[in-house]
Amino acid sequence: MSQLNDSSLPFSLLQFYATSPYGCSYLPEQQARSQVATPTHLINTEIYSELVRAGFRRSGVFTYRPWCDACRACVPARIPVQRFAPDRTQRRVARQHENLVAREVPLEFAASHYELYQRYQANRHAGGGMDQDSHEQYAHFLLQSRVDTRLVEFLEPGSGAVRMVSVIDVLTDGLSSVYTFYDPDVPGASYGTYNILWQIQQCRELGLPHLYLGYWIGASRKMAYKIRFKPLEGLVDGEWQELEAIAAAQTEPAPQP
């Protein structure tokens, strides 16, 4: 266990420990470990914002970052929103879903959200474990927070059907996209892409420079899509830098002998 080298309180009181190895959720052949920040009751919005800039994220009240022994595939990623320019596909998606009604609601359990979450997990992440989440596991994952967290639902105009739900943390220098789930049964919908575009616009309207997207993993289909939001910055060797060149190097075919 280590203590953060910082003179300000309560930041200097944080301690960190590494978990035991466990199976990686994104690269099946890999063993993963996490570094967890404690104690949780000291991690308020200001402290959490500093931790996110250092590559941490949270799941419920637990704040962590990848701390694997022999793998550095998880790269913390963020979009500098003033420099972001949507491509043709993203512009089409924005027009396609521009009529969705976004509404902030209390960070509380809602049966309609949980039902949508279950359908999303069963369709998009079957066999991953989260498709079996109970009411309590869902609440611990998404509805417990010690920071400034917003729960936003996206409604279909007319019917009022909930098409998407997003949990977002408000940081001192941006928004952090905690988790988003959506209706997997609407043909041709691109709700996930639209949600990121919507969050980028929220950052701009709030005067916040960054949208934090969690981790980019080039070798994982579930996580590699983030590179399409250009420019995407990654925390590499302790510095935030553009990821496009790094991503290109990872996807280039190996030279022939």
Side-chain angles (χ1 to χ4, degrees):
M1 185 178 293
S2 61
Q3 189 165 347
L4 191 66
N5 183 22
D6 192 289
S7 60
S8 61
L9 294 176
F11 206 64
S12 63
L13 298 180
L14 292 183
Q15 294 186 315
F16 303 85
Y17 70 87
T19 67
S20 299
Y22 55 89
C24 179
S25 300
Y26 302 106
L27 303 177
E29 304 302 320
Q30 296 288 342
Q31 286 288 296
R33 282 157 61 97
S34 295
Q35 186 184 50
V36 180
T38 60
T40 59
H41 71 271
L42 291 182
I43 303 177
N44 58 21
T45 295
E46 183 178 1
I47 300 303
Y48 183 62
S49 298
E50 293 287 342
L51 290 170
V52 170
R53 285 191 285 275
F56 284 81
R57 280 182 67 73
R58 71 174 184 87
S59 176
V61 298
F62 296 100
T63 302
Y64 69 95
R65 65 180 172 184
W67 202 249
C68 304
D69 296 325
C71 180
R72 297 294 181 269
C74 293
V75 180
R78 71 185 187 187
I79 299 170
V81 298
Q82 294 303 329
R83 296 169 52 212
F84 170 75
D87 61 22
R88 179 187 302 177
T89 298
Q90 291 161 350
R91 292 194 297 271
R92 176 185 58 77
V93 169
R95 292 191 299 270
Q96 178 185 3
H97 296 302
E98 63 184 358
N99 290 329
L100 286 176
V101 178
R103 182 175 69 178
E104 184 179 343
V105 295
L107 191 65
E108 299 172 354
F109 181 83
S112 60
H113 294 175
Y114 180 53
E115 185 274 334
L116 181 63
Y117 176 84
Q118 288 182 306
R119 286 199 292 120
Y120 171 80
Q121 295 294 345
N123 184 282
R124 296 303 176 96
H125 303 292
M130 294 172 69
D131 55 331
Q132 302 297 320
D133 276 1
S134 66
H135 169 293
E136 291 77 14
Q137 289 170 313
Y138 165 83
H140 282 301
F141 173 39
L142 292 179
L143 305 180
Q144 289 192 355
S145 173
R146 295 183 180 274
V147 300
D148 186 357
T149 300
R150 312 292 170 87
L151 179 61
V152 181
E153 60 180 15
F154 295 79
L155 309 178
E156 190 74 43
S159 69
V162 179
R163 294 303 186 193
M164 180 165 56
V165 175
S166 191
V167 179
I168 306 163
D169 289 337
V170 182
L171 310 178
T172 58
D173 72 327
L175 298 179
S176 176
S177 186
V178 178
Y179 200 75
T180 295
F181 54 94
Y182 49 82
D183 191 333
D185 301 319
V186 178
S190 299
Y191 292 130
T193 295
Y194 176 75
N195 186 265
I196 294 178
L197 297 172
W198 183 86
Q199 291 188 44
I200 289 171
Q201 184 59 30
Q202 293 301 299
C203 286
R204 289 172 171 169
E205 292 179 7
L206 293 169
L208 297 170
H210 302 114
L211 175 61
Y212 289 88
L213 292 180
Y215 302 110
W216 170 78
I217 306 172
S220 169
R221 181 183 58 83
K222 295 179 182 179
M223 306 294 273
Y225 72 92
K226 299 174 184 181
I227 201 67
R228 297 200 297 266
F229 295 86
K230 303 178 186 298
L232 187 70
E233 295 180 341
L235 186 62
V236 179
D237 296 329
E239 295 184 4
W240 287 96
Q241 53 188 281
E242 288 195 18
L243 273 177
E244 188 169 4
I246 297 173
Q250 290 189 8
T251 57
E252 287 178 356
Q256 296 297 315

